[in-house]
Amino acid sequence: MALSKIQGIGGQVTPNLGRRNLIINGAMTIAQRGTTSSALGNGNNQYHTVDRWAYLGDQDSGSGTLSTTFSQVTDVPASETFVNSLKAVVSSSSFTPSGTDCIALFQQQIETFNANPLGWGTAAAKPATLSYWIKSSVAGTGTLQLRLNDSSSVSGAADGNYYTKFTINQADTWEKKTHLIPANTTDGWRTTVTESAIQIYWFFGSNQAAASTQDAWFRQNNYGQKHSDATFNFQVTGGTAYITGCQLEVGETASDFEHRPHGEELSLCQRYYTQVQKGLSSGVDYVFGTNFGANSAAVMYQADFPTEMRDNPQISIGSSGSGAGTVSTAYTGTNGMSLYYTSAGSGNVWLRDVKADAEL
């Protein structure tokens, strides 16, 4: 990565690194959904606690139910200045894997806007370095996968994939891992700037088939395979894993973790998910509505989002005032929402636990 230079103190010239980390919330400090939650069974892109971090539990043919609990915790590497990590606890009491069953305890998707500095899929492609801290109650080897979302334009409907491995050398011990990801001049991502460009998976299973190519880019419209050296099998043994300090940056060297200001990190997360509020009552978020014209049974609720969202979000509402009524018309954009309620009682002037979701 070419670095511009700035004039420093005493006339020294120092590199201007700017914003380096392509991963959002890599220090696990933002958890708008809450600090603990459980996931059951199948499903990709299950967001539960720490913002921007998802779970993949792919149970195709195994018996029983796979259950995982996620928490934002304060267990962090003692030698670093992190405050939080993401903890995953897998329950294996009733699940037996079979076939292609796999589990990615940790997953992040990177939007095209943020991935474009890598230039992958072009002659100007640059290598990347992924670094992170990880800890597990079980020693062994897992699979790291980077998948590029470009199946709509690549010949043969295949995405670029890169499989490598990460190894937990000692149980219950924080270890720093660094991976050099080679530049990919062939495979890129869809040109729509607000879509998912890169998916990063940390797989903690060894039941699935081994990827046909490892430690090199290749095309395949698939995910959830394994590195041939993978030994983890959390689905059977159960296990606990932690991760923090995740950074993906352009170049061949891992720099120190980029600690962004809390407000900036929160704003980056709110592009994908936010709790909508226009006021507080007893510490609870509310959106207050007003009667529409002379019709006391019609109420309009309006709220601006704290930052422009990635796409028009899905709105969910936890509860409302007495005489709930029904949403007749919903006007939702990337900057805010207006909900028009009809058949509302005179006491129906608030909505509570309103969420806007535009996750990848």
Side-chain angles (χ1 to χ4, degrees):
M1 175 176 63
L3 301 178
S4 61
K5 294 183 178 181
I6 58 175
Q7 196 75 14
I9 298 174
Q12 292 181 340
V13 176
T14 58
N16 180 11
L17 294 175
R19 285 289 178 253
R20 306 186 307 279
N21 195 358
L22 306 186
I23 287 176
I24 295 175
N25 202 25
M28 316 298 169
T29 56
I30 309 298
Q32 296 184 81
R33 294 173 176 82
T35 57
T36 187
S37 181
S38 296
L40 292 172
N42 268 2
N44 195 2
N45 305 343
Q46 297 186 49
Y47 294 90
H48 291 281
T49 53
V50 172
D51 281 66
R52 302 300 305 122
W53 289 92
Y55 160 78
L56 165 65
D58 196 355
Q59 181 184 341
D60 293 325
S61 54
S63 61
T65 301
L66 180 63
S67 176
T68 309
T69 299
F70 295 90
S71 303
Q72 181 197 48
V73 297
T74 56
D75 188 332
V76 295
S79 62
E80 300 297 314
T81 58
F82 301 115
V83 176
N84 296 111
S85 65
L86 175 58
K87 176 184 179 181
V89 180
V90 179
S91 170
S92 61
S93 59
S94 62
F95 180 67
T96 302
S98 179
T100 59
D101 292 330
C102 61
I103 177 173
L105 294 181
F106 310 121
Q107 174 198 353
Q108 174 141 155
Q109 296 195 67
I110 300 176
E111 188 180 352
T112 300
F113 264 130
N114 300 328
N116 278 338
L118 290 168
W120 288 351
T122 74
K126 299 175 175 63
T129 300
L130 175 67
S131 57
Y132 53 93
W133 286 84
I134 197 165
K135 183 173 80 167
S136 169
S137 63
V138 180
T141 298
T143 300
L144 176 74
Q145 179 189 5
L146 277 74
R147 181 188 183 197
L148 310 184
N149 287 328
D150 194 24
S151 58
S152 62
S153 60
V154 174
S155 176
D159 294 314
N161 284 271
Y162 184 86
Y163 283 90
T164 189
K165 63 183 178 181
F166 63 92
T167 299
I168 306 297
N169 298 299
Q170 183 174 345
D172 299 315
T173 302
W174 280 105
E175 299 173 353
K176 186 175 183 180
K177 307 299 177 184
T178 301
H179 306 273
L180 175 60
I181 313 298
N184 189 332
T185 59
T186 303
D187 309 308
W189 36 74
R190 300 182 186 117
T191 56
T192 304
V193 293
T194 59
E195 291 188 358
S196 173
I198 306 172
Q199 294 174 341
I200 308 175
Y201 300 95
W202 284 260
F203 285 102
F204 282 75
S206 60
N207 191 70
Q208 61 269 39
S212 59
T213 301
Q214 299 171 26
D215 301 300
W217 287 103
F218 73 107
R219 286 181 178 176
Q220 179 177 313
N221 192 19
N222 201 351
Y223 64 88
Q225 295 184 320
K226 70 173 183 179
H227 194 280
S228 59
D229 293 340
T231 59
F232 274 140
N233 207 344
F234 271 46
Q235 299 104 313
V236 174
T237 63
T240 301
Y242 304 77
I243 193 169
T244 194
C246 298
Q247 182 156 288
L248 179 68
E249 55 193 311
V250 179
E252 299 180 343
T253 304
S255 62
D256 291 341
F257 183 82
E258 177 185 28
H259 290 276
R260 289 187 279 250
H262 182 83
E264 181 180 342
E265 201 75 64
L266 174 60
S267 180
L268 292 173
C269 293
Q270 288 173 330
R271 176 171 171 79
Y272 305 91
Y273 175 89
T274 189
Q275 310 274 7
V276 185
Q277 67 178 70
K278 292 297 286 184
L280 291 172
S281 177
S282 300
V284 179
D285 298 336
Y286 284 84
V287 176
F288 295 98
T290 56
N291 293 114
F292 194 79
N295 187 349
S296 61
V299 177
M300 181 71 80
Y301 300 90
Q302 293 180 305
D304 296 327
F305 303 138
T307 189
E308 182 182 34
M309 303 198 73
R310 181 190 65 86
D311 199 355
N312 294 343
Q314 296 293 318
I315 304 296
S316 64
I317 299 168
S319 59
S320 58
S322 60
T326 57
V327 178
S328 173
T329 307
Y331 304 96
T332 305
T334 57
N335 291 297
M337 67 175 197
S338 295
L339 307 180
Y340 177 51
Y341 271 59
T342 60
S343 302
S346 59
N348 185 37
V349 294
W350 53 262
L351 304 175
R352 187 166 62 199
D353 195 23
V354 181
K355 302 179 179 68
D357 191 329
E359 291 284 9
L360 289 164

